[in-house]
């Protein structure tokens, strides 16, 4: 390959292993100097930065394309389960498998994701955990190897204790039938087992879906968001963080949906409790009042837990997002038939980076905020908890990058959505910016290459 200026990355419509890439680089701290710089790769890692031009197998990017650290999404729902093949009981690969998940994530500018354990097999023992990690990351008889590496949460169920040393744990509270807690008090009792007070040397990472059982309104005739009021989320966050304060584990609040929850996280941070939180693109972009108008879809397709909140709640959350540690997607692929019948969760992976960049265009965050919430902070979490080297543009870190063009409009039809479920709530949306593609461990995937991979 020549190192001449490629006017359009999309002309490269096959995955392309690179020796390096040259362009305008923003690393989350500063733009690197001189204006264009070369990053060289070796064995899927960043080897060095230099000013060389004209090297073989170094892609020289157009001047309007920006190189950022690869996006990381610590909250996605994959559908592959170890030892379960298509058509067998418990199989959900008709709506996603790890390969289609990886394509969808790359489409949204993500280069690493963490999968949730609400699966038909419980991921509790080291054996389950290792089998699942192997399964979701490798080629199988019925599908190809995912193009991006995937991590996995281990599951907390009522009365459980941590059985895996180096795992991050997920508590689903009352949102996953097989591990639902009988009441909110039992949640706290189980969390005691995950604290340092129960004898572990390390402060364990626990992510919780925070909605109390006591605050649910059991009335199928009222709208979904009224069945699961905001107070359920607010009260659950307090129970969770109080448990973290008493038992000493790291408490990460999943998909924050109101500023009141952010305030509680801030309050406990100021008390010295180890805590953090995440937000989703849908909580910043759509609410139950505007959903039908802006998506053109029935509101039942926007059902999720915690539910979409009001217009006022959403605007307040947009203004408070800088107190939120990380950006995730809560990508939950279901077929349109399933969403029509009222299942919770929406596909989000394919449009994740584009929607968060919209926050930048609207002036709600800076590019630095975007890179920290999307790459650097989740990367440092993965480094501390799992020993992975991702999300930073530094020698020795994974050579994974997100390539964007600010101010270049983009959009997706459902037919272009790479999640197998094949739809997005944002088909009507014109994004203000473009994710040109990603580099994953030194291999470039342009948007056109990703489209071609789907059909292979
Ligand atoms: Zn989720």
């Amino acid at each position: 390959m020549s190192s001449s200026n490629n006017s359009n990355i999309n002309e490269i419509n096959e995955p392309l292993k690179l020796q390096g890439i040259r362009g305008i680089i923003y690393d989350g701290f500063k733009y690197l100097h001189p204006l264009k710089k070369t990053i060289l790769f070796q064995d899927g890692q960043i080897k060095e930065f230099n000013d060389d031009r004209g090297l073989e197998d170094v892609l020289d990017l157009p001047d309007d394309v920006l190189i950022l650290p690869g996006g990381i999404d610590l909250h996605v729902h994959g559908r592959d389960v170890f030892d379960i093949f298509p058509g067998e009981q418990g199989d959900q690969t008709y709506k996603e498998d790890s390969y289609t998940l990886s394509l969808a994530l790359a489409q949204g500018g993500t280069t690493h994701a963490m999968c949730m354990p609400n699966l038909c097999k419980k991921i509790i023992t080291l054996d389950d955990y290792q089998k699942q990690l192997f399964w979701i990351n490798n080629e199988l008889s019925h599908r190809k190897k995912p193009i991006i590496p995937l991590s996995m949460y281990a599951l907390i169920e009522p009365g459980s204790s941590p059985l895996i040393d180096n795992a991050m744990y997920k508590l689903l509270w009352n949102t996953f039938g097989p591990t639902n807690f009988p009441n909110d008090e039992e949640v706290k009792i189980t969390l005691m087992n995950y604290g340092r007070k129960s004898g572990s040397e390390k402060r364990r990472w626990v992510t919780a879906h925070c909605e109390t059982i006591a605050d649910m309104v059991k009335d199928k005739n009222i709208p979904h968001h009224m069945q699961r009021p905001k107070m359920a989320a607010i009260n659950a966050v307090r129970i969770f963080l109080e448990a973290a304060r008493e038992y000493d584990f790291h408490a990460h609040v999943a998909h924050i949906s109101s500023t009141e929850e952010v305030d509680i996280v801030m309050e406990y941070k100021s008390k010295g409790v180890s805590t953090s939180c995440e937000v989703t693109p849908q909580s910043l972009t759509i609410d139950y009042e505007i959903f039908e108008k802006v998506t053109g879809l029935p509101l039942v397709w926007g059902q999720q837990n915690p539910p979409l909140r009001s217009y006022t709640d959403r605007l307040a959350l947009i203004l408070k997002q800088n107190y939120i540690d990380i950006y995730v997607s809560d990508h939950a692929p279901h077929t349109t038939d399933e969403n029509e019948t009222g299942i919770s969760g929406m596909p989000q992976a394919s449009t994740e980076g584009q929607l968060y960049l919209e926050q930048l265009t609207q002036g709600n965050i800076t590019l630095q905020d975007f890179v920290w919430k999307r790459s650097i902070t989740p990367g440092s979490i993965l480094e501390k908890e799992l020993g992975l080297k991702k999300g930073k543009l530094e020698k020795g870190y994974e050579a994974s990058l997100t390539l964007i063009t600010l101010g270049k409009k983009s959009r997706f039809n459902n037919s272009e959505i790479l999640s197998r479920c094949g739809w997005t709530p944002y088909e009507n949306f014109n994004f203000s910016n473009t994710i040109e593609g990603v580099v994953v461990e030194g291999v470039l995937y342009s948007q056109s290459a990703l489209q071609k991979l789907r059909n292979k």
Side-chain angles (χ1 to χ4, degrees):
M1 175 188 38
S2 100
S3 64
S4 66
N5 229 328
N6 282 283
S7 58
N8 187 352
I9 300 169
N10 276 308
E11 285 164 16
I12 308 169
N13 60 8
E14 300 280 347
L16 182 63
K17 191 170 193 312
L18 298 171
Q19 196 189 331
I21 197 162
R22 180 173 173 75
I24 299 171
I25 302 170
Y26 179 73
D27 67 2
F29 299 87
K30 60 190 180 311
Y31 286 92
L32 301 195
H33 288 281
L35 195 55
K36 284 185 102 175
K37 234 178 157 60
T38 302
I39 313 177
L40 291 182
F41 310 144
Q42 189 172 45
D43 304 326
Q45 293 184 344
I46 295 171
K47 184 184 169 203
E48 63 173 90
F49 297 82
N50 66 33
D51 297 325
D52 290 348
R53 301 152 180 277
L55 287 172
E56 273 294 295
D57 296 329
V58 169
L59 177 69
D60 195 355
L61 292 171
D63 291 350
D64 53 353
V65 177
L66 196 52
I67 301 174
L68 303 178
I72 295 172
D73 179 352
L74 296 189
H75 190 149
V76 306
H77 293 269
R79 301 298 183 200
D80 258 327
V81 186
F82 70 89
D83 294 345
I84 294 190
F85 290 89
E88 291 183 358
Q89 196 180 2
D91 167 55
Q92 298 204 329
T93 58
Y94 62 90
K95 48 189 174 186
E96 196 83 290
D97 62 33
S98 295
Y99 180 68
T100 59
L101 173 67
S102 71
L103 298 180
L105 286 161
Q107 186 168 32
T110 301
T111 59
H112 185 81
M114 183 97 183
C115 298
M116 293 292 146
N118 53 331
L119 304 165
C120 68
K121 286 188 183 174
K122 293 178 184 173
I123 311 297
I124 288 182
T125 67
L126 180 61
D127 191 48
D128 304 330
Y129 182 72
Q130 286 174 337
K131 277 185 182 156
Q132 178 68 3
L133 269 181
F134 182 86
W135 187 269
I136 61 177
N137 279 296
N138 285 283
E139 181 173 353
L140 301 172
S141 58
H142 62 282
R143 63 147 171 82
K144 298 204 279 191
K145 181 181 164 72
I147 64 164
I148 74 169
L150 300 166
S151 295
M152 189 69 215
Y153 267 106
L155 181 68
I156 295 180
E157 65 173 346
S160 65
S161 294
L163 298 178
I164 310 159
D165 271 340
N166 292 311
M168 293 162 73
Y169 286 87
K170 177 74 194 272
L171 183 135
L172 290 144
W173 215 294
N174 209 40
T175 56
F176 177 50
T179 64
N180 276 349
F181 284 77
N183 54 57
D184 301 319
E185 292 68 40
E186 288 292 328
V187 171
K188 206 171 161 190
I189 291 168
T190 293
L191 282 169
M192 193 171 7
N193 302 335
Y194 290 80
R196 276 209 285 209
K197 297 271 160 68
S198 71
S200 114
E201 279 174 35
K202 191 181 169 193
R203 178 182 281 144
R204 288 182 198 282
W205 183 282
V206 178
T207 294
H209 178 112
C210 290
E211 283 183 297
T212 56
I213 299 161
D215 290 293
M216 292 293 146
V217 181
K218 288 205 171 63
D219 180 355
K220 290 259 179 274
N221 298 315
I222 58 174
H224 187 71
H225 67 266
M226 289 172 73
Q227 295 176 38
R228 311 181 77 96
K230 194 164 69 167
M231 275 319 288
I234 296 167
N235 289 336
V237 170
R238 194 168 283 285
I239 291 171
F240 181 47
L241 296 196
E242 195 50 35
R245 190 185 65 76
E246 280 181 43
Y247 310 136
D248 196 9
F249 55 85
H250 179 89
H252 180 76
V253 180
H255 38 50
I256 287 260
S257 60
S258 67
T259 56
E260 289 91 333
E261 295 160 74
V262 182
D263 290 341
I264 301 172
V265 172
M266 302 284 290
E267 175 194 328
Y268 277 80
K269 275 186 181 173
S270 72
K271 289 178 184 171
V273 174
S274 182
T275 178
S276 54
C277 61
E278 64 186 36
V279 71
T280 64
Q282 58 273 36
S283 291
L284 299 176
T285 309
I286 41 182
D287 53 68
Y288 66 75
E289 296 182 66
I290 65 159
F291 184 88
E292 296 199 335
K293 186 161 176 259
V294 300
T295 66
L297 301 170
L299 181 56
V300 68
W301 289 30
Q303 180 177 318
Q304 60 163 32
N305 302 324
L308 295 176
R309 304 275 181 220
S310 70
Y311 179 75
T312 321
D313 281 332
R314 181 172 66 85
L315 292 199
L317 193 62
I318 287 173
L319 297 178
K320 222 163 210 179
Q321 64 185 294
N322 267 329
Y323 296 98
I324 295 176
D325 299 274
I326 60 169
Y327 284 155
V328 302
S329 72
D330 199 9
H331 172 68
H334 300 297
T335 65
T336 52
D337 284 349
E338 288 172 326
N339 280 93
E340 185 65 41
T341 59
I343 199 169
S344 290
M346 285 178 268
Q348 297 287 336
S350 297
T351 50
E352 181 179 4
Q354 293 83 347
L355 285 172
Y356 283 127
L357 283 175
E358 217 54 44
Q359 294 299 317
L360 173 67
T361 301
Q362 290 168 14
N364 302 321
I365 57 165
T366 63
L367 183 61
Q368 182 163 43
D369 297 328
F370 176 85
V371 172
W372 276 72
K373 291 179 200 302
R374 184 90 172 108
S375 305
I376 294 180
T377 305
S380 50
I381 291 167
L382 290 173
E383 184 162 3
K384 184 161 177 249
E385 302 300 321
L386 304 178
L388 304 174
K389 306 266 278 182
K390 297 172 189 284
K392 278 190 198 135
L393 298 187
E394 273 177 39
K395 190 180 168 198
Y397 279 75
E398 189 178 278
S400 291
L401 314 166
T402 302
L403 310 178
I404 67 169
T405 306
L406 294 175
K408 176 180 167 188
K409 289 191 168 32
S410 58
R411 65 181 296 163
F412 292 117
N413 296 322
N414 282 344
S415 63
E416 295 162 314
I417 290 295
L418 293 172
S419 173
R420 179 167 288 147
C421 70
W423 74 280
T424 169
Y426 312 106
E427 194 181 29
N428 280 349
F429 282 53
N430 285 305
F431 303 115
S432 306
N433 309 290
T434 296
I435 306 244
E436 301 285 358
V438 290
V439 173
V440 183
E441 296 174 288
V443 179
L444 172 75
Y445 299 90
S446 67
Q447 290 288 357
S448 60
L450 292 171
Q451 289 293 334
K452 254 178 102 175
L453 286 175
R454 184 245 302 266
N455 301 322
K456 278 191 178 168

